[in-house]
Amino acid sequence: MDPSPPAFLRFEAVGKRYDDVHAVRDVSLDICSGEFVALVGASGSGKSTLLKCINRLVEPTSGRVLLDGEDVLAGPPAPLRRRIGYVFQGIGLFPHMSVAENIALTPRLEGERLPEARIAELLELVELDPAMATRLPAELSGGQRQRVGVARALAGDSHLLLMDEPFGALDPITRGQLGERVRRLHDDLGLTTVMVTHDMAEALLLATRVLVMDAGQIVADETPAALLAGAGGDIAQALVDVPRAQARQLARTSEGIGE
Ligand code: ADP
Ligand code: MG
């Protein structure tokens, strides 16, 4: 029999220690091509550290991460990062560079010039006017800036998109719109996406699979439907209870208004 193909992304007993802080402990899991995975958990649970083990912003102290069957530490970091789109926590644009320069940055670090037409195409993908290419980040709204952050992450033709609390700094309406846009891009471009968020509602609405992290470990690995049906254990359910209670309260309020 043929051996089964390697997972698109595989974590093998990945651990990361900072002196006596165990940021990530013994994480093993496979992510298939096309999945939209949300990594949810309290602040300090190790989400960002685990995400950064994929694009080598962090090197594990034990275990390894395989992309397409190959250890991410095997080659030089630049071509690896070219294949992996990364949307930073917060905004993460360079303030002294134009929108176009920010988007073209990763390819430029590898000596490649991104054509103007490609920059316009990337801006259209995130529903921004290509005329914004010459603006500075300070001349954009928070939502527009994070759209540029997503365009930059897609500039390298990557099939793997990593996002660290991408919408955390945005107002709820902008946040919802941009989340939906990213989910559509994920579907249309055939991406595999890993999104870190502390917001379970966002995870349930956007992801196909939700991983819950606590104290460096994955404590639940469920679909949104399974989580909503009560699966995943106490820590996961405590997180699901937040949007569930809000939904109940909203329903009661609207009944009150209807009376
Ligand atoms: P999260 O993204 O879930 O908020 P992090 O992955 O940023 O969590 O952090 C997990 C733990 O590792 C925390 O206790 C944090 O203080 C610690 N940590 C993260 N990065 C470093 C670092 N560069 N040096 C020392 N400790 C760190
Ligand atoms: Mg974090």
Side-chain angles (χ1 to χ4, degrees), residues 82-154:
R82 179 102 168 76
R83 286 164 62 201
I84 303 177
Y86 183 59
V87 180
F88 295 72
Q89 185 157 11
I91 298 289
L93 298 182
F94 291 96
H96 57 286
M97 289 186 188
S98 71
V99 164
E101 286 166 336
N102 267 288
I103 290 176
L105 189 62
T106 313
R108 207 187 76 198
L109 294 177
E110 276 208 82
E112 190 194 325
R113 227 187 120 262
L114 213 56
E116 236 172 76
R118 174 69 179 144
I119 291 172
E121 184 183 83
L122 286 162
L123 286 171
E124 277 171 354
L125 274 183
V126 295
E127 295 173 328
L128 286 179
D129 184 344
M132 285 187 177
T134 56
R135 289 208 201 162
L136 290 172
E139 296 163 341
L140 304 175
S141 71
Q144 289 170 336
R145 260 180 250 158
Q146 199 51 308
R147 283 174 192 268
V148 175
V150 174
R152 177 174 60 185
L154 298 173

Side-chain angles (χ1 to χ4, degrees), residues 36-41 197-213 218-245 248:
F36 193 123
V37 178
L39 191 54
V40 191
T197 175
H198 58 257
D199 184 343
M200 181 55 97
E202 188 166 83
L204 293 169
L205 289 169
L206 296 180
T208 58
R209 177 178 175 190
V210 180
L211 303 175
V212 178
M213 256 187 120
I218 304 289
V219 295
D221 180 355
E222 301 287 347
T223 63
L227 280 173
L228 286 168
D234 291 347
I235 294 168
Q237 284 305 310
L239 293 168
V240 177
D241 277 342
V242 177
R244 203 183 262 138
R248 268 199 303 267

